[in-house]
């Protein structure tokens, strides 16, 4: 498949909705996306309707146009294999907490030394610069904290209500794919990569306001 991102290689170390939606968008635009899964697989494999075990419809949709590899990052040899993939990549997307990545030697500073042109994109719940840094999050939490659930309830004259889809994941995923595309554009001028943070909470607060 060709597209505007043909020739761009993306290493996707993300699960569930936000990160995979961002990388699916990049893949739809022609990027070569390699999804890295742990030995047990992305837990989203088991969500929704499925004809075959571990191949749920939401997972298949969010991970189309991707290649796949299984790596156990607790194993030093398999972690080195991931580093070799990142050395050759244009983009690295993850939703692992930054503290965990640092312990694995996958922080931006160390990866940028190996690959200065790398676009490094963290997609997780809360900004590292904010008051909730490091806390876990999923879609319902972000819909509630961002005011989206309250807004949804107010529009029907009732109590707060969740939007009937993983809207926080999807909105933040689109923001991540846009940010990555802009970073790739900037790299064409500067020749340098950069680190990007796309936190669900801060992104959805801005979106809701």
């Amino acid at each position: 498949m060709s597209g505007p991102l043909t020739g761009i290689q993306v290493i996707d170390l993300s699960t569930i909705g936000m990160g995979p939606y961002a990388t699916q968008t990049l893949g739809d635009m022609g990027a070569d996306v390699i999804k890295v899964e742990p030995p047990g697989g992305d837990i989203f494999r088991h969500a929704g309707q499925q004809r075959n075990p571990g191949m749920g419809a939401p997972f298949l949709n969010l991970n189309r146009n991707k290649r796949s590899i299984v790596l156990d990052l607790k194993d030093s040899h398999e972690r080195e294999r991931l580093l070799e993939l990142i050395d050759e990549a244009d983009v690295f997307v993850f939703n692992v907490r930054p503290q965990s990545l640092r312990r694995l030697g996958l922080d931006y500073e160390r990866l940028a030394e190996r690959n200065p042109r790398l676009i490094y994109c963290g997609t997780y719940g809360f900004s590292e610069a904010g008051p909730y840094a490091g806390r876990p999050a999923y879609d319902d939490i972000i819909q509630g904290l961002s005011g989206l659930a309250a807004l949804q309830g107010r529009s029907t004259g009732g109590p707060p209500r969740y939007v009937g889809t993983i809207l926080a994941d999807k909105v933040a995923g689109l923001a991540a794919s846009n940010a990555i595309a802009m970073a790739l554009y900037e790299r064409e001028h500067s020749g340098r990569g950069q680190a990007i943070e796309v936190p669900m909470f801060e992104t959805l607060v801005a979106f809701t306001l």
Side-chain angles (χ1 to χ4, degrees):
M1 179 178 176
S2 62
L5 295 183
T6 296
I8 295 296
Q9 186 164 93
V10 179
I11 306 301
D12 179 7
L13 187 68
S14 67
T15 60
I16 316 290
M18 178 184 174
Y21 190 36
T23 54
Q24 173 233 289
T25 303
L26 301 177
D28 286 350
M29 295 297 105
D32 176 18
V33 182
I34 300 176
K35 182 178 177 68
V36 180
E37 295 186 65
D42 184 337
I43 61 173
F44 211 50
R45 283 180 170 273
H46 308 287
Q49 297 297 315
Q50 48 194 285
R51 180 177 297 173
N52 299 300
M55 300 295 278
F59 173 84
L60 292 177
N61 183 56
L62 287 173
N63 292 285
R64 64 175 184 258
N65 294 332
K66 300 179 186 180
R67 296 190 285 158
S68 184
I69 187 171
V70 173
L71 294 173
D72 183 355
L73 299 185
K74 295 177 183 178
D75 182 286
S76 60
H77 297 292
E78 298 202 16
R79 192 161 62 247
E80 184 60 33
R81 178 63 182 130
L82 176 61
L83 287 169
E84 291 170 359
L85 289 172
I86 294 172
D87 285 346
E88 303 298 321
D90 299 284
V91 180
F92 175 51
V93 179
F94 62 92
N95 68 343
V96 181
R97 293 185 204 174
Q99 301 93 321
S100 299
L101 280 190
R102 291 188 194 102
R103 287 195 295 270
L104 292 171
L106 297 172
D107 51 283
Y108 176 68
E109 289 73 20
R110 277 184 270 194
L111 295 185
E113 286 181 5
R114 299 171 64 113
N115 182 357
R117 289 174 56 82
L118 182 69
I119 307 300
Y120 180 95
C121 182
T123 59
Y124 36 77
F126 301 99
S127 171
E128 286 291 279
Y132 306 126
R135 294 189 184 184
Y138 53 91
D139 197 271
D140 289 354
I141 289 174
I142 300 301
Q143 285 200 38
L145 281 175
S146 69
L148 188 62
L151 188 64
Q152 183 77 356
R154 189 184 309 161
S155 68
T156 60
R161 298 180 60 185
Y162 294 122
V163 178
T165 184
I166 53 170
L167 188 70
D169 278 276
K170 293 175 180 178
V171 168
L174 288 173
S177 63
N178 286 338
I180 291 166
M182 296 304 165
L184 287 168
Y185 178 78
E186 195 276 338
R187 192 183 71 174
E188 290 299 303
H189 297 274
S190 69
R192 300 189 303 270
Q194 61 179 283
I196 302 168
E197 182 188 63
V198 185
M200 293 175 72
F201 173 64
E202 283 80 0
T203 300
L204 263 291
V205 166
F207 177 84
T208 303
L209 289 174

